[in-house]
Amino acid sequence: MKKFKKFYIETTSICNLACSFCPPTHRQAQFIGIDDFVKILDDIKPHTDYIYFHVKGEPLLHPKIDQLLDISHEKGFKVNITTNGTLIRKNATKLLGKPALRQMNFSLHSFDGHEGSKDREGYITSVLSFVREATAISDLLVSFRLWNLTKDNETNLERSRNRATLELIEKEFGLDYRIEEKVQPGTGIKLADRIYLNQDHEFDWPDLKAKEDDGRGFCHALRNQAGILVDGTVIPCCLDGEGVINLGNVHETPFSEIVEGERANRLYDGFSRRVAVEELCRKCGYRQRFGGET
């Protein structure tokens, strides 16, 4: 039976931002229902212990996110949440002290990625305030993400737009150095106990309209990760945000059967031979960056 280190459950397809780096979904706007969530957790229990509230959409928009966390704990799962952080103040009481919550990933590049963003200091301050309180009362892990570096990494653009954000973080943690001087693209640094910051280049989401490569390389799709969209569609990785590689639907077929189905096994076996058999995989910018990984 396949086991996954990362299992993505999309709790909503709706987002409160429109970031330039994140293509809008063309799928139906939807929140996962409590009954469906319970069914999915029971279905995937043999396959993973860790679930990620993430694919598309902003998980903190879900009106019952506290219940989702409580149910996850009851079922024996640890939860990682990836959020833009803009709603953290409104949802703090729904998150604080939840035993299921293992890690919070804050995509701080969302501020500059969204054209209408205002009050950077207020945004960063509210995130830092939550982190301060949450880490004081729990073992929560925190990752701040700034994935907006330019490709050449030589211009001043990314430095200037990130400096104000990094300055607030440096002040919060009493750092005596500039973060840019310590962190390299694709790596992270430890700011405090259980608190990290990661910087990287912006990557292109896979798109069927993109140029196709030679299809050589490797990916961990269906090897250490899988996902389920809000409508129940099973996907091989967190980057198939439109469900192009539709492996089946958990509302119609048990997950264990879906991941052992013909299409799933063809994808898995292909990457075992270092070959991308799916068209979307051959047009995946992320795989092209890390396609040689073994």
Side-chain angles (χ1 to χ4, degrees), residues 44-108:
I44 69 172
K45 183 57 182 173
H47 298 275
T48 191
D49 297 316
Y50 298 94
I51 53 178
Y52 291 66
F53 290 177
H54 180 53
V55 178
K56 286 292 187 72
E58 168 51 52
L60 297 192
L61 275 175
H62 199 292
K64 297 181 179 179
I65 191 167
D66 49 346
Q67 292 185 42
L68 299 183
L69 287 169
D70 289 340
I71 294 167
S72 300
H73 178 61
E74 292 169 9
K75 299 289 184 180
F77 291 94
K78 289 294 184 180
V79 178
N80 301 269
I81 294 178
T82 297
T83 173
N84 58 46
T86 56
L87 303 174
I88 195 65
R89 182 175 293 158
K90 179 180 178 181
N91 286 277
T93 57
K94 293 183 177 182
L95 302 173
L96 289 169
K98 292 296 185 183
L101 188 55
R102 173 184 176 270
Q103 180 168 327
M104 293 281 292
N105 303 312
F106 291 96
S107 299
L108 301 183

Side-chain angles (χ1 to χ4, degrees), residues 103-129:
Q103 180 168 327
M104 293 281 292
N105 303 312
F106 291 96
S107 299
L108 301 183
H109 46 279
S110 300
F111 184 87
D112 289 301
H114 179 69
E115 189 175 339
S117 293
K118 298 178 181 179
D119 188 15
R120 182 192 304 270
E121 184 171 356
Y123 163 60
I124 298 298
T125 298
S126 65
V127 170
L128 292 174
S129 176

Side-chain angles (χ1 to χ4, degrees), residues 62-289:
H62 199 292
K64 297 181 179 179
I65 191 167
D66 49 346
Q67 292 185 42
L68 299 183
L69 287 169
D70 289 340
I71 294 167
S72 300
H73 178 61
E74 292 169 9
K75 299 289 184 180
F77 291 94
K78 289 294 184 180
V79 178
N80 301 269
I81 294 178
T82 297
T83 173
N84 58 46
T86 56
L87 303 174
I88 195 65
R89 182 175 293 158
K90 179 180 178 181
N91 286 277
T93 57
K94 293 183 177 182
L95 302 173
L96 289 169
K98 292 296 185 183
L101 188 55
R102 173 184 176 270
Q103 180 168 327
M104 293 281 292
N105 303 312
F106 291 96
S107 299
L108 301 183
H109 46 279
S110 300
F111 184 87
D112 289 301
H114 179 69
E115 189 175 339
S117 293
K118 298 178 181 179
D119 188 15
R120 182 192 304 270
E121 184 171 356
Y123 163 60
I124 298 298
T125 298
S126 65
V127 170
L128 292 174
S129 176
F130 170 83
V131 169
R132 194 184 312 124
E133 185 173 359
T135 54
I137 65 171
S138 71
D139 293 327
L140 181 71
L141 296 168
V142 175
S143 174
F144 298 125
R145 296 175 173 179
L146 278 170
W147 293 355
N148 60 358
L149 300 182
T150 55
K151 295 296 184 182
D152 58 19
N153 200 31
E154 296 295 332
T155 68
N156 290 322
L157 175 61
E158 73 276 2
R159 298 181 186 279
S160 62
R161 66 185 178 184
N162 287 339
R163 177 88 296 264
T165 295
L166 295 174
E167 208 166 74
L168 292 166
I169 293 173
E170 290 161 0
K171 182 179 179 181
E172 171 72 16
F173 296 101
L175 305 184
D176 59 359
Y177 58 86
R178 284 195 166 203
I179 290 173
E180 304 99 315
E181 299 169 359
K182 299 285 187 178
V183 65
Q184 296 297 317
T187 65
I189 59 171
K190 185 176 182 177
L191 302 175
D193 186 32
R194 293 176 281 114
I195 303 175
Y196 302 85
L197 182 141
N198 178 276
Q199 281 198 276
D200 207 342
H201 298 104
E202 180 181 323
F203 69 88
D204 296 324
W205 282 74
D207 189 335
L208 290 177
K209 297 178 182 178
K211 183 179 179 180
E212 187 169 315
D213 66 10
D214 63 5
R216 301 298 302 176
F218 180 76
C219 178
H220 286 287
L222 294 184
R223 202 166 297 265
N224 77 355
Q225 67 167 290
I228 298 177
L229 298 178
V230 69
D231 66 354
T233 299
V234 175
I235 54 175
C237 76
C238 64
L239 293 180
D240 186 5
E242 291 302 289
V244 173
I245 307 175
N246 183 342
L247 301 176
N249 193 293
V250 291
H251 300 314
E252 301 167 0
T253 308
F255 177 80
S256 296
E257 293 183 21
I258 292 173
V259 292
E260 293 297 345
E262 181 181 350
R263 189 173 188 179
N265 282 329
R266 190 169 64 245
L267 183 149
Y268 183 97
D269 294 341
F271 281 126
S272 295
R273 305 189 310 272
R274 304 302 189 262
V275 175
V277 300
E278 289 282 349
E279 180 184 359
L280 188 70
C281 298
R282 296 193 296 270
K283 298 179 176 181
C284 177
Y286 199 82
R287 185 192 61 78
Q288 290 165 5
R289 284 173 54 190

